[in-house]
Amino acid sequence: MMKNLCWMLLLVCAGAVQAEELSSGQALYLPVYSYLWHGDRMGDDKTPAKTQLSALVSIRNTSLKTPLTISSARYYSTDGKLLSEYVSKPTLIPAMGTLELFVERKEAQGGSGANFIIQWNSATATNPPVVEAVHADIRGGSHALTLITVARPVRLDK
C-alpha cells in the first residue's frame, strides 16, 4: 500500500512539470531582493535586521537552434519606481547562450520588493528562456546566504 502511494505521489509531481509552449516573445517578471529583512524587531524603530544582497540575473536561451533578442531589462524598486534599464540596446543571445546582468550588493534602492521586467523576442516561435536571479551575500568562510528567484511570464498593461 505504502509503495503504491509513493508511486502515485511521484507521478503527480512528475506530471506537474510541463514544458512551456513555444513563443516568439514575452514579458517576464523576475523578483529581486536587494536586501532581506530578518531576525526580530529590535531597537527604538522596531525594525528587523537587514542584509544587503547582490543578484546575478541569468537569461538562458534554451533553444538548440534559434537565437533570441533581449529588447529590455528594466529594474524597478519596491515602490514601483523605474531605477535602471540594464539593456541599452537589443542584445542577441545565441542558441544555448546566456546573458548575465548584475545588481551589486551596495545597491539598496531596489529594496526587498525589487523586480525586473525583461522583454524578449525571436524571429520564429521557440522555447522561452529560463530566467533566474541568484542572490548572494558571501563573506569569507563564516557567512554565506544565497537564494534563487525565477521569472514568470506576464502581460504588460497597455
Side-chain angles (χ1 to χ4, degrees):
M1 176 72 169
M2 186 64 157
K3 186 176 182 180
N4 288 340
L5 180 60
C6 290
W7 274 111
M8 287 182 354
L9 288 173
L10 180 62
L11 290 174
V12 168
C13 291
V17 178
Q18 298 177 6
E20 288 190 46
E21 290 186 27
L22 299 180
S23 176
S24 58
Q26 293 175 310
L28 302 171
Y29 174 87
L30 177 66
V32 173
Y33 297 86
S34 60
Y35 59 77
L36 284 178
W37 296 107
H38 59 89
D40 298 319
R41 295 177 181 264
M42 307 281 290
D44 294 336
D45 61 357
K46 299 293 184 195
T47 58
K50 179 170 56 172
T51 296
Q52 299 286 126
L53 301 170
S54 60
L56 171 63
V57 175
S58 179
I59 306 170
R60 297 170 182 256
N61 185 350
T62 60
S63 173
L64 293 169
K65 297 179 181 178
T66 307
L68 57 87
T69 300
I70 304 301
S71 58
S72 180
R74 295 183 307 277
Y75 180 60
Y76 292 89
S77 67
T78 298
D79 63 2
K81 179 183 174 190
L82 176 61
L83 297 176
S84 183
E85 168 62 70
Y86 272 67
V87 176
S88 60
K89 62 181 183 194
T91 303
L92 187 75
I93 304 176
M96 298 306 294
T98 300
L99 174 64
E100 295 178 332
L101 310 173
F102 188 71
V103 180
E104 294 182 275
R105 184 170 62 207
K106 68 182 178 183
E107 193 295 298
Q109 285 185 297
S112 60
N115 60 80
F116 274 91
I117 294 291
I118 297 168
Q119 292 181 266
W120 71 273
N121 60 68
S122 62
T124 61
T126 188
N127 294 320
V130 170
V131 180
E132 300 172 327
V134 180
H135 303 75
D137 179 32
I138 301 169
R139 300 181 203 177
S142 64
H143 175 90
L145 169 66
T146 59
L147 65 110
I148 296 173
T149 56
V150 179
R152 63 192 65 180
V154 293
R155 291 194 174 125
L156 296 180
D157 300 334
K158 303 224 179 197

